Amino acid sequence: MGVTIADVASRAGVSKTTVSRVLNGKGEINENTVLRVRTAISELGYVPSAGAVGLARGTTQMIGMLVPDTAWAWAGIVQAVVETLETEGFGLRMLTWNRGEESLRRLGLQVAARSFDGLLVMEPEGAMGYITELHEEGLPVVLIDDRFQRPGFPYVATTNRLGGEQAARHLLEIGRRRPLVVAGPETFGCTRERLDGFLGVYAQAGIEIDRSSIVRGDFQFERCRSAVARAVADGLEFDSVFAHNDPSAAGVLAALHAAGLWVPQDVAVVGFDDVEMASYTYPALTTVRQPMREMGEAAARLLLDHVRGSPKAAPSCVVPTSLVIRGSTTGPSAN
């Protein structure tokens, strides 16, 4: 059983009611008592449930944002969130999700302290249940979802299936009929969406892609490089590769170069995301653009609508992908 409010009360030498008052910031409480309660919370690792905290709206002009880490891949989303919030007179309190239960405890303490009016969430591994509870108890929450999770609260997503379709149509247009797919993690909804969209377009063109032509790279450069190197060594014939993110595609380029294959003359390559590195690879990477900045701005505006209780607040929002064509598919003699 996890740590309870009764455990905190016992450690601090106060009543459960007093702990609740400290969590909610209600009433006149002696500073020493508040310190004892907060010390007990910290020592015990107590994560306040949403029901134990009186969630208030519109009091801090701050928005919380829970992110998996501070990796460069999220820079576009975060920058758009910051700019949008600043325009609306709100600040941003960043929380990272990289220490599991410790991160969850920190989030609980921030919620308990009413440090923000609403919460933006990205990839809350292992915390979706708690995030959902916060929403159900009254905290405005918006998920920035690139994995097709579709929670029971507002989200901003992109069109992963359409992105797969866009990649397939482009490869077919340049005459590539034997693609290799380097897929993301099987557990991610976005992987299934991107794969289904891609395979569907080829099926409509009368081309059934064999499962042996779908390898796993799990969104990682080295795993994708190794997967493609094995495919080449095994004699698998392919004239193109659809990689499920841009670091994967960079791994594909490295493997093809090491095998003495020219891109795009021998093998055309398409990635997904259009992160900054995509334009710096050699050749520059054709990729499906996941609209990071647009998703960040849409998520911030959607959350602010819910924080303000706007009657026009949308339940969710989907921002479409687009194809960015560069040299990895349209270089010399690509057709």
Side-chain angles (χ1 to χ4, degrees):
M1 178 181 291
V3 178
T4 68
I5 196 170
D7 297 325
V8 174
S10 177
R11 173 68 68 92
V14 300
S15 69
K16 291 190 292 184
T17 299
T18 297
V19 175
S20 179
R21 289 168 63 198
V22 171
L23 290 174
N24 286 284
K26 292 182 178 179
E28 296 294 329
I29 306 175
N30 181 278
E31 289 185 7
N32 288 333
T33 301
V34 173
L35 179 60
R36 291 206 313 274
V37 170
R38 289 179 174 169
T39 299
I41 288 173
S42 177
E43 290 175 348
L44 294 172
Y46 173 59
V47 178
S49 70
V53 181
L55 298 171
R57 298 188 183 190
T59 58
T60 68
Q61 295 298 110
M62 294 290 294
I63 294 298
M65 187 171 187
L66 180 65
V67 299
D69 52 40
T70 54
W72 52 267
W74 304 109
I77 287 179
V78 174
Q79 184 61 37
V81 166
V82 170
E83 292 173 359
T84 303
L85 293 179
E86 287 182 346
T87 298
E88 297 294 327
F90 279 72
L92 180 68
R93 187 179 298 276
M94 187 79 75
L95 299 164
T96 59
W97 179 253
N98 55 12
R99 293 189 178 181
E101 288 299 319
E102 170 65 17
S103 297
L104 186 61
R105 186 185 69 82
R106 290 201 307 268
L107 172 62
L109 293 174
Q110 293 288 336
V111 173
R114 295 185 295 179
S115 298
F116 41 75
D117 302 327
L119 181 66
L120 292 169
V121 183
M122 297 168 61
E123 296 188 9
E125 295 292 344
M128 187 65 84
Y130 182 59
I131 301 298
T132 301
E133 183 185 354
L134 292 176
H135 165 70
E136 291 174 347
E137 292 292 337
L139 180 69
V141 179
V142 170
L143 175 70
I144 302 173
D145 176 27
D146 75 332
R147 297 187 178 183
F148 202 75
Q149 297 182 83
R150 301 303 185 264
F153 51 84
Y155 61 84
V156 171
T158 192
T159 51
N160 286 293
R161 181 184 293 271
L162 174 62
E165 293 174 352
Q166 291 167 326
R169 290 194 185 99
H170 176 60
L171 290 175
L172 284 169
E173 286 171 358
I174 62 173
R176 306 306 171 111
R177 301 176 65 83
R178 292 178 285 111
L180 176 71
V181 179
V182 181
E186 291 184 87
T187 56
F188 289 4
C190 64
T191 295
R192 296 190 296 272
E193 290 285 297
R194 294 171 191 180
L195 182 59
D196 288 349
F198 188 84
L199 297 181
V201 168
Y202 268 88
Q204 290 172 7
I207 301 171
E208 295 294 333
I209 297 176
D210 189 270
R211 287 290 164 175
S212 64
S213 294
I214 302 172
V215 299
R216 294 291 167 185
D218 291 344
F219 292 159
Q220 298 176 22
F221 174 95
E222 185 57 34
R223 291 197 64 174
C224 294
R225 187 199 64 76
S226 297
V228 173
R230 285 195 302 271
V232 172
D234 291 343
L236 185 64
E237 295 186 0
F238 55 93
D239 59 11
S240 53
V241 180
F242 173 42
H244 277 183
N245 75 347
D246 290 340
S248 298
V252 171
L253 292 175
L256 294 175
H257 176 74
L261 295 170
W262 289 88
V263 177
Q265 293 91 332
D266 298 320
V267 181
V269 178
V270 178
F272 204 110
D273 283 341
D274 195 29
V275 298
E276 185 176 8
M277 63 164 286
S279 60
Y280 298 141
T281 59
Y282 183 79
L285 188 63
T286 292
T287 185
V288 177
R289 181 175 180 268
Q290 185 168 205
M292 299 287 191
R293 287 190 60 85
E294 291 88 339
M295 291 173 70
E297 179 179 353
R301 295 198 181 281
L302 179 60
L303 181 59
L304 290 179
D305 282 347
H306 285 278
V307 165
R308 293 163 172 163
S310 171
K312 297 182 179 179
S316 294
C317 175
V318 177
V319 186
T321 56
S322 58
L323 183 69
V324 179
I325 299 175
R326 299 192 180 99
S328 67
T329 58
T330 60
S333 302
N335 292 321

